[in-house]
């Protein structure tokens, strides 16, 4: 099929699979996956209890408890306060990985203006909202 004729669903799935691969590759040297990065980055933004973290990342998959346990085992996450928080080692790992992920993000947006990127995100968000509304799952 001519790529210009492929529907948006094909492109969304294809892009997601490529993002999975490129982020997995970027963090593989640390023995991590894209899901590890998502958990680590979420905790770098703010501590969270495991249930809240799992809920915020539920659209990705249900492996948050296992990933949080792995990060805890690496000494990157502390659980003593009831909330998951990054340790000093975890913050250092996040900073190191953030540089790699920054390179990935720059490659993804290569050739796009900031406005094109922002518009694309806006359009995809609106499409998702339209479908959620049609399914009665308004967020």
């Amino acid at each position: 099929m001519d790529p210009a004729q492929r529907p948006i669903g094909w492109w969304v799935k294809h892009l997601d699979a490529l993002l999975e691969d490129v982020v997995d590759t970027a963090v593989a040297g640390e023995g991590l996956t894209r899901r590890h990065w998502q958990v680590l980055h979420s905790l770098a933004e703010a501590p969270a209890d495991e249930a809240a973290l799992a809920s915020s990342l539920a659209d990705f998959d249900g492996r948050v408890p296992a990933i949080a346990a792995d990060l805890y085992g690496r000494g990157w996450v502390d659980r003593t306060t009831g909330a998951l928080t990054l340790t000093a080692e975890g913050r250092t790992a996040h900073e190191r990985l953030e540089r790699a992920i920054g390179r990935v993000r720059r490659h993804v947006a290569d050739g796009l203006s900031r406005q094109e990127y922002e518009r694309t995100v806006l359009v995809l968000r609106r499409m998702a909202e339209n479908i959620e509304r049609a399914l009665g799952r308004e967020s």
Side-chain angles (χ1 to χ4, degrees):
M1 174 183 270
D2 176 11
Q5 301 301 313
R6 291 190 170 129
I8 193 165
W10 187 92
W11 287 110
V12 169
K13 287 184 86 164
H14 183 61
L15 177 59
D16 185 57
L18 291 171
L19 288 170
E20 192 83 19
D21 288 347
V22 73
V23 173
D24 280 352
T25 299
V27 300
E30 300 267 356
L32 304 175
T33 66
R34 182 181 182 193
R35 299 303 171 261
H36 284 87
W37 166 250
Q38 289 164 327
V39 170
L40 190 67
H41 189 60
S42 293
L43 294 175
E45 291 179 341
D49 67 47
E50 199 167 306
L53 184 63
S55 176
S56 72
L57 297 175
D59 287 344
F60 296 103
D61 67 25
R63 294 182 289 167
V64 169
I67 290 169
D70 182 50
L71 296 175
Y72 175 77
R74 292 167 182 260
W76 294 0
V77 170
D78 181 24
R79 296 178 171 181
T80 57
T81 64
L84 301 175
T85 59
L86 292 185
T87 63
E89 283 183 61
R91 285 189 298 279
T92 299
H94 177 263
E95 290 169 7
R96 184 173 58 248
L97 291 165
E98 193 167 41
R99 287 189 293 276
I101 297 301
R103 287 189 294 276
V104 167
R105 289 178 177 155
R106 285 188 297 279
H107 289 301
V108 169
D110 189 35
L112 299 175
S113 70
R114 176 180 218 113
Q115 293 82 10
E116 288 173 315
Y117 180 85
E118 290 172 356
R119 182 73 180 155
T120 300
V121 172
L122 175 67
V123 167
L124 291 171
R125 188 186 87 219
R126 283 187 184 161
M127 293 174 95
E129 289 169 349
N130 290 343
I131 293 169
E132 287 170 343
R133 192 171 34 261
L135 294 171
R137 298 182 195 162
E138 295 188 46
S139 44

